[in-house]
Amino acid sequence: MNTLAYGLLGLVARTPSSGYDLMLQLQPYWQAKHSQIYPLLAKLEQEGYMQFTRVHQTDRPDKKVYSITDKGEIALKMWLAEPTAEPVVRDELVLKAYCLQLTDEKAAHAMFRERIDHCREQAQMFEHIMKEMEQQTEGHPDHPDHPAFSDYILLSWGCRRMQEDMKWCEWVLELLQKRKKE
Amino acid sequence: MNTLAYGLLGLVARTPSSGYDLMLQLQPYWQAKHSQIYPLLAKLEQEGYMQFTRVHQTDRPDKKVYSITDKGEIALKMWLAEPTAEPVVRDELVLKAYCLQLTDEKAAHAMFRERIDHCREQAQMFEHIMKEMEQQTEGHPDHPDHPAFSDYILLSWGCRRMQEDMKWCEWVLELLQKRKKE
DNA sequence: ACACCCATGTAACCTGTTACATGATTAG
DNA sequence: CTAATCATGTAACAGGTTACATGGGTGT
């Protein structure tokens, strides 16, 4: 049982879903490809943490809809009580930033511009989902008992991260401007 | 040649260092254990990107001090011009946050408190190094031509990230307070 | 005496990515 | 007709962690 396994358990505990759907839901918060998810789901099912029902679809391929079992829910609750691992961040841009003196202004500028564009895109995506959610639920889901509460705090996390990353890049670009002027 | 390899190249390009030292320098920005670094350095040396000299020390074990070669510097500059990969973040706390409804107040509270403490510690570490740097260089290294400029922007990155993470956790804790009151 | 820091390395294992494979439906 | 989306899977490989292994010096 690794972190990804618990992440999947957490998702199916809320809403029974197919592997494909789980992959898409998880993507913004834990990068994992389908090739990692499908075998893991099979393993979790074999070991009794999940169960699945084959759902026939006419317009689309059939799918396996996984749902959590009692054993799965117990394991999930135990995981939640365990100490949390520290986050792992691996950002190539940070390593590149350390080598800024080896680049020309143009390349340095492009590097941070690209990241800013990427972050803006992602932030807008998060914001868009949040707005949709607020309309659907008719109000701000900022209360812990609101069914969409955890979705709300996760979206906020993603949005904040992107905005902070953007700010840092913009700050670096401003400092880099000084090179030209002086 | 993977990202870690370029990260190591970037470090030795600035200051020739031992594997042990590289591991420590890299830790805050790219988590890698010595067991990954040592074989990689050997490979980079064999392929001509780095060279090393064995340095004898009386009070401590001997060390291999790696420095960059011309081939290494060319490869490094080419990497800098290539498009940058998107950052990878894997944070167990985010997955746990999605399952908040399955936990009691105490566990939820502890989860975020622990993270806040961790972030504060890290942020203080970054701030401390920044202050030391400012004293050594006698002034703010916020100019791109300053030799400590890239260290400065990396430290700022680390500091900002920790502060933002803390803010998010505190925000979640505030929202969780509502559960009790109402 | 025991633990920690410095310093380097290997081996086994787990995690995650890329590529291979299939196939139906829908949108441009 | 071509590309994208939905849907599931396997195989090979790369990246990263944990454990094993060694050994001197320093601090408590």
Side-chain angles (χ1 to χ4, degrees):
Chain A
M1 291 295 288
N2 56 29
T3 309
L4 177 58
Y6 287 114
L8 292 169
L9 266 183
L11 287 177
V12 298
R14 180 92 71 84
T15 322
S17 318
S18 67
Y20 188 82
D21 202 23
L22 289 168
M23 179 191 63
L24 294 179
Q25 284 180 252
L26 209 58
Q27 212 124 39
Y29 308 108
W30 193 281
Q31 289 77 43
K33 317 281 169 176
H34 72 277
S35 54
Q36 197 182 2
I37 289 174
Y38 287 128
L40 188 51
L41 286 173
K43 197 191 137 207
L44 288 169
E45 188 267 332
Q46 272 166 34
E47 291 176 9
Y49 297 102
M50 290 180 181
Q51 57 200 17
F52 72 87
T53 47
R54 206 172 277 277
V55 172
H56 182 68
Q57 297 180 120
T58 47
D59 54 333
R60 293 174 183 186
D62 295 0
K63 62 181 176 181
K64 288 180 173 182
V65 173
Y66 287 86
S67 52
I68 199 161
T69 60
D70 291 343
K71 186 183 172 184
E73 205 170 309
I74 291 165
L76 190 57
K77 281 178 182 168
M78 278 173 65
W79 169 67
L80 288 168
E82 279 168 26
T84 308
E86 288 168 21
V88 175
V89 179
R90 280 182 230 274
D91 190 345
E92 206 177 3
L93 185 63
V94 176
L95 299 185
K96 286 191 174 180
Y98 188 78
C99 308
L100 272 183
Q101 270 122 349
L102 292 170
T103 64
D104 53 77
E105 286 148 49
K106 226 178 89 185
H109 206 268
M111 226 156 84
F112 291 95
R113 268 265 145 261
E114 265 176 55
R115 172 58 60 88
I116 287 170
D117 292 343
H118 170 253
C119 287
R120 193 182 356 256
E121 219 174 87
Q122 292 282 304
Q124 279 170 0
M125 193 254 324
F126 283 119
E127 276 164 24
H128 180 249
I129 301 172
M130 281 175 98
K131 276 177 193 163
E132 271 191 340
M133 208 175 67
E134 280 171 38
Q135 285 183 333
Q136 280 178 3
T137 59
E138 279 164 30
H140 222 59
D142 61 351
H143 193 286
D145 295 330
H146 194 289
F149 179 71
S150 36
D151 301 77
Y152 176 63
I153 60 172
L154 287 214
L155 287 166
S156 164
W157 176 83
C159 210
R160 280 159 169 264
R161 266 197 56 243
M162 290 304 144
Q163 281 166 0
E164 180 49 43
D165 211 13
M166 266 175 77
K167 277 184 206 162
W168 178 72
C169 289
E170 280 161 2
W171 174 77
V172 173
L173 282 180
E174 270 175 48
L175 293 181
L176 286 174
Q177 293 300 318
K178 293 189 185 175
R179 200 190 252 176
K180 285 184 190 171
K181 288 179 186 171
E182 289 160 37
Chain B
M1 292 294 288
N2 56 30
T3 308
L4 177 57
Y6 287 113
L8 292 168
L9 267 183
L11 288 176
V12 298
R14 179 93 70 84
T15 320
S17 319
S18 66
Y20 188 82
D21 202 23
L22 290 167
M23 177 191 64
L24 295 179
Q25 284 179 253
L26 207 60
Q27 212 122 40
Y29 309 107
W30 193 281
Q31 289 76 45
K33 317 283 169 175
H34 72 277
S35 55
Q36 197 182 2
I37 289 175
Y38 289 127
L40 188 52
L41 286 173
K43 197 191 138 206
L44 289 169
E45 189 269 332
Q46 274 166 34
E47 291 175 10
Y49 297 102
M50 290 181 181
Q51 56 199 17
F52 72 86
T53 48
R54 205 172 278 276
V55 172
H56 182 67
Q57 298 181 119
T58 47
D59 55 333
R60 291 173 185 187
D62 295 1
K63 61 180 176 182
K64 290 181 173 180
V65 172
Y66 287 87
S67 53
I68 199 161
T69 60
D70 291 344
K71 186 182 173 185
E73 205 169 310
I74 291 165
L76 190 57
K77 281 177 181 167
M78 279 174 65
W79 169 66
L80 288 168
E82 280 169 26
T84 308
E86 289 167 18
V88 175
V89 179
R90 280 182 230 274
D91 190 346
E92 206 178 2
L93 185 63
V94 176
L95 299 186
K96 284 191 176 183
Y98 189 79
C99 308
L100 272 183
Q101 270 122 348
L102 291 171
T103 65
D104 52 77
E105 285 150 49
K106 225 178 87 184
H109 205 270
M111 227 155 84
F112 291 95
R113 268 263 146 261
E114 265 176 54
R115 172 58 60 87
I116 287 170
D117 292 343
H118 170 253
C119 287
R120 194 184 353 258
E121 220 175 86
Q122 292 281 303
Q124 279 170 0
M125 193 253 325
F126 283 118
E127 277 165 23
H128 180 250
I129 301 171
M130 282 175 98
K131 276 179 194 165
E132 270 191 341
M133 207 176 67
E134 279 171 39
Q135 285 184 333
Q136 280 177 4
T137 59
E138 279 163 28
H140 222 60
D142 61 351
H143 193 285
D145 294 332
H146 194 291
F149 178 71
S150 37
D151 302 77
Y152 176 63
I153 59 172
L154 288 216
L155 287 166
S156 164
W157 176 82
C159 211
R160 280 159 170 264
R161 264 197 59 243
M162 289 305 145
Q163 281 165 1
E164 180 50 43
D165 211 12
M166 265 175 77
K167 276 183 207 161
W168 179 71
C169 289
E170 280 160 2
W171 174 77
V172 173
L173 282 180
E174 267 176 50
L175 293 182
L176 286 175
Q177 293 300 319
K178 293 188 185 175
R179 199 190 255 177
K180 284 183 190 171
K181 289 179 185 169
E182 288 158 40

